[in-house]
Amino acid sequence: MENWVSGYEKPLIIAGPCSVESQKQFSETIERLPIQEIHYVRGGIWKPRTRPGNFEGHGAKAFEWVKTTQKNEPFRFATEVATPEHIAQALDHGAELLWIGARTTVNPFHVQQLADALRGKDVAVFIKNPVNPDLSLWKGAIERFADAGITRLGAIHRGFHSHQPSRYRNPPIWQIPLELKSHWPDLPLICDPSHIGGDAGMIEEIAQRALDLDYDGLMIESHCQPEKALSDAKQQVTPERLREILSGLELRASTFSDVLLNDELAQIRQQIDQADKDILDAIATRMDLVKRIGDYKKDNNVAIFQISRWKEVFRSRPDWGQELGLDPEFIMELYRQIHQQSVKKQTAIFNTQDKQVDSGT
Ligand code: PEP
Ligand code: MN
């Protein structure tokens, strides 16, 4: 993997309407966009809609509106492709960046067909995360394009579908893209705050968060009249608002240049190392105690899982954490893991020794 956007002035910006709707809508949007700050203009030609009957894009004829607009204001064009025919048409019409949508990344057969269709082509390809929070599926799709010889590859984080109520349209679950980044540190990773937030008012906050996490760029939807947009109306910002968002974003250095700052950082990191050792010591102590209880339960033929104890642990620990200024939800999650490990350890004790357990007693 190669970070081919690192030569760009960071961050890489892809912006434009969700869909190319008409000559007027597209050229007016482009005229008002801060085009000098945008590396690629996006525009959906084919729209994967969840339900039939919604606007599905104008198809190849919309490329004519793109080309007419490019004559007045040159820009590189980016669009979503979902079939080998889309790829052939997009390349014929001069698209310079193609992205694979979240609903396509989920299907390895489709992804392989697209990768085969792109073999030997010199074009940038970005792969959105699959709709479901499955890192392997995302990685697998990226590998298929890499194996097909695409070198200008990238990943787009657009959030994940969730059944839980959420303030996000697609909750970001930041640890998934960050795991992807730690697996392929040089693979450009950009954030799509429009599809994560689903609301024009949330774009700035999510975009800043992504830059704070050292993302390589952003893909943001912008429309000359968002309220009239034929797709994703709620989340599109006006070109003027986009300009404001881009100029308000704070860019942080990815490394510390100042030597003093580096010293201070090294000291704090040493303290963090020590705190982590203390955490691990405490966990090891806890596991020893768990083992002692496991032996005791086995000797007395008592079930491993004691519902009343479990309830008490899960009631008290979030409160204890909160008193220390820790997020109770985080503490719950932590104890779910610890409890799972404790049950596993005690099960091993029961299984490696001779006596059989009747967990119903
Ligand atoms: C889009 O970019 O307009 C789009 C349909 O995105 P996603 O695949 O993330 O839903
Ligand atoms: Mn959209």
Side-chain angles (χ1 to χ4, degrees):
M1 298 289 171
E2 179 195 331
N3 195 336
W4 57 275
V5 307
S6 60
Y8 284 62
E9 203 178 309
K10 231 178 147 181
L12 173 77
I13 302 295
I14 304 174
C18 178
S19 312
V20 180
E21 299 174 5
S22 66
Q23 181 67 74
K24 186 170 179 305
Q25 170 256 7
F26 192 70
S27 43
E28 189 182 330
T29 304
I30 300 303
E31 274 162 32
R32 289 165 45 194
L33 277 172
I35 206 78
Q36 300 312 324
E37 294 173 47
I38 296 171
H39 300 89
Y40 292 88
V41 168
R42 64 156 283 156
I45 300 285
W46 302 277
K47 300 302 299 174
R49 309 310 300 188
T50 305
R51 311 268 313 267
N54 292 334
F55 175 63
E56 293 189 330
H58 287 292
K61 78 170 183 205
F63 281 119
E64 299 311 323
W65 303 329
V66 174
K67 278 192 247 174
T68 305
T69 315
Q70 277 170 321
K71 281 188 198 128
N72 296 332
E73 183 69 77
F75 56 83
R76 296 173 196 271
F77 186 63
T79 198
E80 172 175 349
V81 288
T83 67
E85 297 74 54
H86 293 168
I87 291 178
Q89 294 186 23
L91 294 178
D92 262 9
H93 288 97
E96 294 181 64
L97 183 151
L98 307 178
W99 80 83
I100 312 303
R103 290 165 196 75
T104 306
T105 309
V106 289
N107 188 322
F109 289 120
H110 284 166
V111 170
Q112 191 58 54
Q113 278 179 353
L114 300 181
D116 290 340
L118 279 164
R119 203 174 290 277
K121 306 275 196 264
D122 182 23
V123 62
V125 179
F126 273 69
I127 295 107
K128 285 200 170 195
N129 65 257
V131 179
N132 49 325
D134 184 339
L135 176 60
S136 330
L137 210 46
W138 197 4
K139 275 191 192 160
I142 293 165
E143 279 162 349
R144 288 178 200 274
F145 290 100
D147 289 349
I150 303 295
T151 51
R152 280 184 296 144
L153 272 178
I156 305 177
H157 171 215
R158 53 77 78 195
F160 302 89
H161 176 74
S162 164
H163 276 299
Q164 309 287 343
S166 166
R167 59 187 283 258
Y168 297 101
R169 177 178 175 196
N170 292 291
I173 324 185
W174 295 99
Q175 67 265 33
I176 296 182
L178 292 180
E179 252 182 72
L180 182 80
K181 188 82 184 162
S182 65
H183 186 72
W184 284 311
D186 291 328
L187 177 75
L189 170 66
I190 73 168
C191 177
D192 170 351
S194 308
H195 290 86
I196 292 178
D199 188 295
M202 292 172 76
I203 310 302
E204 187 170 18
E205 162 205 335
I206 302 166
Q208 184 62 59
R209 177 84 195 268
L211 295 186
D212 292 348
L213 293 169
D214 206 23
Y215 276 50
D216 298 282
L218 299 166
M219 180 194 253
I220 302 181
E221 289 186 341
S222 177
H223 189 289
C224 56
Q225 270 186 299
E227 67 289 353
K228 297 240 169 89
L230 299 180
S231 58
D232 290 348
K234 246 184 98 195
Q235 71 196 34
Q236 301 204 58
V237 292
T238 61
E240 292 70 28
R241 177 66 189 134
L242 182 81
R243 184 189 297 269
E244 232 172 62
I245 292 174
L246 294 181
S247 59
L249 289 172
E250 276 192 57
L251 296 183
R252 318 212 193 265
S254 40
T255 50
F256 295 85
S257 50
D258 189 303
V259 180
L260 271 180
L261 214 55
N262 254 332
D263 267 4
E264 197 179 329
L265 184 77
Q267 276 184 24
I268 300 174
R269 283 191 173 147
Q270 267 176 10
Q271 291 178 42
I272 288 184
D273 288 351
Q274 193 48 54
D276 283 345
K277 283 182 191 159
D278 293 346
I279 292 173
L280 295 175
D281 276 349
I283 293 176
T285 304
R286 192 187 195 283
M287 285 302 160
D288 280 346
L289 296 169
V290 163
K291 180 182 173 306
R292 276 170 57 190
I293 296 216
D295 291 338
Y296 184 82
K297 282 179 183 165
K298 183 195 152 283
D299 290 345
N300 292 283
N301 211 16
V302 170
I304 289 173
F305 185 65
Q306 304 278 315
I307 184 80
S308 54
R309 173 67 181 157
W310 185 80
K311 277 189 175 165
E312 191 217 310
V313 169
F314 279 82
R315 206 176 22 245
S316 57
R317 273 52 169 180
D319 289 349
W320 296 353
Q322 200 160 25
E323 280 167 22
L324 295 168
L326 300 170
D327 177 2
E329 257 180 57
F330 160 61
I331 300 301
M332 271 303 256
E333 188 52 44
L334 182 66
Y335 272 89
R336 262 188 219 112
Q337 297 287 334
I338 290 180
H339 184 255
Q340 202 181 347
Q341 190 59 29
S342 306
V343 170
K344 206 164 140 188
K345 192 163 181 87
Q346 294 192 348
T347 306
I349 293 172
F350 274 67
N351 289 344
T352 52
Q353 295 172 23
D354 45 24
K355 237 193 238 172
Q356 276 300 302
V357 201
D358 175 359
S359 58
T361 55

